[in-house]
Short mmCIF file of all heavy atoms in Angstrom, two decimals:
data_model
loop_
_atom_site.label_atom_id
_atom_site.label_comp_id
_atom_site.label_asym_id
_atom_site.label_seq_id
_atom_site.Cartn_x
_atom_site.Cartn_y
_atom_site.Cartn_z
N ALA U 10 7.74 12.58 -2.88
CA ALA U 10 8.46 12.04 -1.73
C ALA U 10 9.10 13.18 -0.94
O ALA U 10 9.46 14.20 -1.48
CB ALA U 10 9.53 11.07 -2.22
N LEU U 18 -7.01 21.52 8.79
CA LEU U 18 -7.59 22.86 8.63
C LEU U 18 -7.34 23.75 9.83
O LEU U 18 -7.07 24.94 9.69
CB LEU U 18 -9.09 22.76 8.34
CG LEU U 18 -9.48 22.39 6.92
CD1 LEU U 18 -10.98 22.20 6.81
CD2 LEU U 18 -9.00 23.44 5.94
N LYS U 28 0.63 34.36 10.48
CA LYS U 28 1.27 35.11 9.39
C LYS U 28 0.65 36.50 9.27
O LYS U 28 1.35 37.50 9.10
CB LYS U 28 1.15 34.35 8.07
CG LYS U 28 1.90 35.01 6.92
CD LYS U 28 1.91 34.15 5.68
CE LYS U 28 2.85 33.00 5.77
NZ LYS U 28 4.27 33.35 5.91
N ARG U 33 4.40 42.29 7.45
CA ARG U 33 4.31 43.75 7.35
C ARG U 33 4.23 44.23 5.91
O ARG U 33 4.09 45.41 5.66
CB ARG U 33 5.48 44.43 8.07
CG ARG U 33 5.39 44.30 9.58
CD ARG U 33 4.13 45.00 10.10
NE ARG U 33 3.83 44.68 11.48
CZ ARG U 33 2.83 43.91 11.87
NH1 ARG U 33 2.02 43.35 11.01
NH2 ARG U 33 2.62 43.66 13.14
N LEU U 37 -0.76 43.33 -3.36
CA LEU U 37 -2.17 43.61 -3.60
C LEU U 37 -2.43 43.63 -5.10
O LEU U 37 -1.79 44.40 -5.83
CB LEU U 37 -2.55 44.97 -2.99
CG LEU U 37 -3.97 45.46 -3.30
CD1 LEU U 37 -5.01 44.59 -2.62
CD2 LEU U 37 -4.12 46.91 -2.88
N PRO U 49 3.25 46.04 -4.16
CA PRO U 49 3.55 45.69 -2.78
C PRO U 49 3.14 46.85 -1.88
O PRO U 49 3.39 48.01 -2.19
CB PRO U 49 5.07 45.51 -2.79
CG PRO U 49 5.54 46.44 -3.87
CD PRO U 49 4.44 46.48 -4.90
N ALA U 57 -9.44 41.43 12.33
CA ALA U 57 -10.54 41.01 11.45
C ALA U 57 -10.29 41.41 10.01
O ALA U 57 -10.86 40.81 9.10
CB ALA U 57 -11.85 41.63 11.92
N ASP U 93 -8.81 36.75 -0.79
CA ASP U 93 -9.74 37.47 -1.66
C ASP U 93 -10.76 38.16 -0.79
O ASP U 93 -11.23 37.59 0.20
CB ASP U 93 -10.47 36.50 -2.59
CG ASP U 93 -9.53 35.76 -3.53
OD1 ASP U 93 -8.51 36.34 -3.94
OD2 ASP U 93 -9.83 34.59 -3.84
N ILE U 98 -12.29 51.86 1.37
CA ILE U 98 -11.29 52.93 1.31
C ILE U 98 -11.72 54.00 2.30
O ILE U 98 -12.85 54.51 2.22
CB ILE U 98 -11.19 53.49 -0.11
CG1 ILE U 98 -10.82 52.38 -1.09
CG2 ILE U 98 -10.18 54.65 -0.16
CD1 ILE U 98 -10.98 52.75 -2.55
N GLN U 102 -9.16 61.25 8.16
CA GLN U 102 -10.12 62.06 8.94
C GLN U 102 -11.46 61.36 9.13
O GLN U 102 -12.25 61.76 9.98
CB GLN U 102 -10.32 63.45 8.30
CG GLN U 102 -10.95 63.43 6.94
CD GLN U 102 -9.95 63.33 5.79
OE1 GLN U 102 -8.80 62.98 5.99
NE2 GLN U 102 -10.41 63.63 4.59
N ALA U 106 -13.46 56.95 16.03
CA ALA U 106 -12.67 57.24 17.23
C ALA U 106 -12.06 55.97 17.83
O ALA U 106 -11.00 56.02 18.44
CB ALA U 106 -13.54 57.94 18.27
N VAL U 111 -3.22 49.54 16.07
CA VAL U 111 -2.24 48.91 15.18
C VAL U 111 -2.06 49.71 13.88
O VAL U 111 -1.04 49.58 13.21
CB VAL U 111 -2.63 47.43 14.91
CG1 VAL U 111 -3.84 47.33 14.02
CG2 VAL U 111 -1.47 46.65 14.32
N LEU U 136 -6.90 31.05 0.91
CA LEU U 136 -6.27 29.83 0.44
C LEU U 136 -4.86 29.77 1.02
O LEU U 136 -4.19 30.81 1.11
CB LEU U 136 -6.16 29.82 -1.09
CG LEU U 136 -7.44 30.13 -1.88
CD1 LEU U 136 -7.12 30.30 -3.35
CD2 LEU U 136 -8.45 29.03 -1.67
N ARG U 141 2.66 20.92 -2.73
CA ARG U 141 1.58 20.42 -3.60
C ARG U 141 0.67 19.42 -2.90
O ARG U 141 -0.49 19.26 -3.27
CB ARG U 141 2.15 19.86 -4.89
CG ARG U 141 3.00 18.65 -4.74
CD ARG U 141 3.60 18.25 -6.09
NE ARG U 141 4.55 17.19 -5.94
CZ ARG U 141 5.84 17.36 -5.73
NH1 ARG U 141 6.33 18.58 -5.66
NH2 ARG U 141 6.65 16.34 -5.60
#
Side-chain angles (χ1 to χ4, degrees):
L18 282 175
K28 185 172 285 297
R33 289 297 168 252
L37 173 68
D93 298 326
I98 301 167
Q102 65 271 16
V111 71
L136 310 171
R141 65 184 173 270

